[in-house]
Amino acid sequence: AVAFRVPADGDHLRGIRLTRAAFRESLMSRGIWLYGVAFLGAYGAFIAGSQLIAGYGLDERHVGAGEVALAAFLIGIAGVPGSVAGGWISDRLSSRRNVFVAAAVIEGVFLLLVPLSGPGWFWLPAMGVGFMFNFALAVWQTIPGDRPGLSQENIGTAFGLMLTISAVGGFVLPYLFGELAPTAGYPVAWSALGVISIGCALLGMLNSETGRAGSGAS
């Protein structure tokens, strides 16, 4: 951040005057709100899963400590290649929306597989959740840059709004998991994370396309 220099043709990025029009542009956009809600499930499910999968594997499934440790490791580290893959693929396809939605849906599918996994492959859905979460995140955070009607100087504000909305899932879904697990059982709790992740992601399809041409309504 200290070394960053504003590009020669980017004087508007040095700062602009705050106006009500700029506020409406970045914070009152239907598209930005929809994308925030679309990632709420996948975001919250990843937070819950990454914190709870080790205890679940040891205490409920009685999976070996080594494999549980591997699952806990992979749900985090798999995001490194996941984010690279997400960025690489979305840069080569015309639809960021469809790539993002597909990635968040696949994350939900891996969450549904967690209670079905057994010794020998308990680590696999954990790796899938971590990989697809960061895959989706890498694409999702670039979407404001493609939104028509959103000035470059307001992209950061729009992304902040998206992140604020989705972060709600970071405490709602772990709480929901904690309520469901002792009453309805762990399979229901994990399935709820998967279903909510998929359901929220599909709401993204209600949004206008955000391709390279910048077509569609904001």
Side-chain angles (χ1 to χ4, degrees):
V2 173
F4 177 77
R5 296 293 179 269
V6 176
D9 59 348
D11 286 342
H12 58 290
L13 298 179
R14 298 180 185 275
I16 61 167
R17 185 168 167 267
L18 293 175
T19 63
R20 280 180 291 183
F23 177 85
R24 289 193 301 268
E25 183 179 289
S26 54
L27 300 183
M28 304 302 289
S29 167
R30 173 181 176 272
I32 294 301
W33 278 86
L34 267 176
Y35 276 117
V37 174
F39 201 43
L40 184 152
Y43 185 101
F46 172 77
I47 297 297
S50 62
Q51 297 297 316
L52 300 170
I53 196 165
Y56 169 69
L58 287 173
D59 300 334
E60 295 296 321
R61 302 299 304 280
H62 307 295
V63 178
E67 189 172 359
V68 168
L70 178 62
F73 172 73
L74 287 175
I75 200 171
I77 199 66
V80 176
S83 59
V84 174
W88 190 88
I89 290 174
S90 70
D91 283 345
R92 284 156 179 77
L93 297 178
S94 61
S95 171
R96 294 193 193 278
R97 181 197 65 185
N98 293 347
V99 174
F100 157 69
V101 170
V105 167
I106 295 172
E107 179 191 336
V109 172
F110 277 115
L111 286 160
L112 294 175
L113 290 176
V114 170
L116 302 178
S117 61
W121 65 289
F122 183 76
W123 57 271
L124 181 59
M127 182 181 70
V129 170
F131 185 93
M132 297 313 303
F133 167 75
N134 282 278
F135 187 112
L137 176 63
V139 181
W140 176 77
Q141 65 186 350
T142 67
I143 285 174
D146 285 333
R147 296 306 303 171
L150 185 65
S151 304
Q152 289 182 344
E153 60 268 21
N154 291 325
I155 290 174
T157 307
F159 173 67
L161 174 61
M162 286 169 50
L163 187 59
T164 299
I165 297 167
S166 64
V168 172
F171 63 86
V172 171
L173 267 68
Y175 175 81
L176 177 64
F177 189 99
E179 291 293 310
L180 288 175
T183 56
Y186 278 93
V188 172
W190 283 106
S191 298
L193 294 184
V195 169
I196 293 172
S197 178
I198 293 170
C200 287
L202 292 176
L203 290 176
M205 297 302 293
L206 298 176
N207 224 330
S208 58
E209 186 54 273
T210 53
R212 298 302 179 271
S215 60
S218 64

